[in-house]
Amino acid sequence: TKKISLNQMSDFMKARKAVRRRISQYNKIVEIVDAYPQIKPTQKPKPSFQLELDYSDFEDFDEEPALPKKPLSISSLSPSLPLPVSIPGTISGVASKLQPDPEWTVQVNLSDRSGTKQVRLTEKVLSGMIGFSSEEFRQLKPASSTDPGIKTFLRNGLQSCQRELVFLTGLFVIQRNTLDQHSGPFEVISVSKLESSKERELKEYVMSKFS
């Protein structure tokens, strides 16, 4: 048999101790890891846009606003209504003289299929038909007695307004009378076009009643 020297024996013992030391260190690491619970990898949460609503808070609301069953008519026009209001109508006659002081004003009969009521046409409406304001008229009128051109200009404007008022049909915006309560409770602040077929039908109906 081969004999082992003392030096070789010493090296073997050192290597054996080193291996045992490494095994001991490994066992301690395993014990430490086992002492903690297993941690599962977390999943990234998915974004959500679902709102959590308490629909009982919306029970008092309708899905759509309630619409009036019928459009507002002349017969329903009343000072108790929340004014201004818009009413389709036709002027069926003039009920007063055209006055330029303190502003252009005239009373007219406004009619539809439900009836007729008197309303006052305001400066804003009349000056557009005449072509000049009441203030311009008052300034030019004195010169019309000596200046034929000014006289013709003023006369043409007034005649143009008179022609336009004859069965004028449209959507009349009406509010409370701001000038003179003795001339009635209502005044017209604007007139706009109706749909052509509705305008024609309404105008023909009022003309058949008042012509």
Side-chain angles (χ1 to χ4, degrees):
T1 60
K2 187 177 180 180
K3 293 182 180 181
I4 300 175
S5 65
L6 291 176
N7 290 335
Q8 289 176 331
M9 180 63 72
S10 176
D11 292 340
F12 175 76
M13 293 300 293
K14 289 179 181 179
R16 186 177 179 183
K17 287 181 180 180
V19 171
R20 287 181 177 179
R21 188 164 53 250
R22 289 179 177 273
I23 292 173
S24 176
Q25 291 174 348
Y26 173 78
N27 289 335
K28 287 181 179 180
I29 292 173
V30 171
E31 289 176 0
I32 292 172
V33 172
D34 291 341
Y36 287 89
Q38 293 292 325
I39 300 175
K40 296 180 180 179
T42 57
Q43 294 183 348
K44 188 176 181 180
K46 295 181 180 180
S48 174
F49 298 95
Q50 183 67 35
L51 296 177
E52 295 182 5
L53 296 176
D54 183 0
Y55 287 95
S56 63
D57 294 338
F58 299 90
E59 290 177 354
D60 295 336
F61 293 89
D62 295 329
E63 291 184 1
E64 295 182 358
L67 297 175
K69 295 181 180 180
K70 293 181 179 180
L72 200 60
S73 61
I74 298 292
S75 62
S76 63
L77 185 60
S78 166
S80 61
L81 284 174
L83 301 175
V85 294
S86 299
I87 298 180
T90 298
I91 293 177
S92 56
V94 176
S96 73
K97 292 182 178 180
L98 177 64
Q99 300 289 338
D101 193 23
E103 65 174 45
W104 285 127
T105 181
V106 67
Q107 291 290 117
V108 298
N109 296 323
L110 188 63
S111 303
D112 65 3
R113 293 178 181 273
S114 71
T116 300
K117 286 193 177 180
Q118 272 194 17
V119 295
R120 184 181 78 86
L121 299 186
T122 59
E123 167 92 12
K124 182 179 179 181
V125 174
L126 291 169
S127 61
M129 298 179 182
I130 297 170
F132 44 83
S133 68
S134 57
E135 183 179 357
E136 290 170 330
F137 174 78
R138 292 193 298 270
Q139 291 174 350
L140 293 172
K141 187 178 180 182
S144 65
S145 59
T146 57
D147 190 325
I150 293 178
K151 184 177 182 178
T152 301
F153 171 74
L154 296 179
R155 185 176 63 246
N156 288 345
L158 297 174
Q159 289 177 346
S160 174
C161 176
Q162 185 176 4
R163 288 192 299 269
E164 194 166 349
L165 287 176
V166 178
F167 293 109
L168 174 64
T169 303
L171 187 65
F172 291 74
V173 178
I174 300 172
Q175 68 178 14
R176 288 182 178 84
N177 195 339
T178 58
L179 182 63
D180 180 12
Q181 293 300 324
H182 295 293
S183 60
F186 308 111
E187 65 182 20
V188 176
I189 56 176
S190 71
V191 184
S192 58
K193 291 285 187 181
L194 288 172
E195 183 182 333
S196 58
S197 59
K198 293 181 179 179
E199 182 175 321
R200 183 177 62 255
E201 290 173 4
L202 179 56
K203 186 173 184 176
E204 290 175 352
Y205 173 83
V206 174
M207 288 178 67
S208 69
K209 292 293 183 181
F210 294 93
S211 294

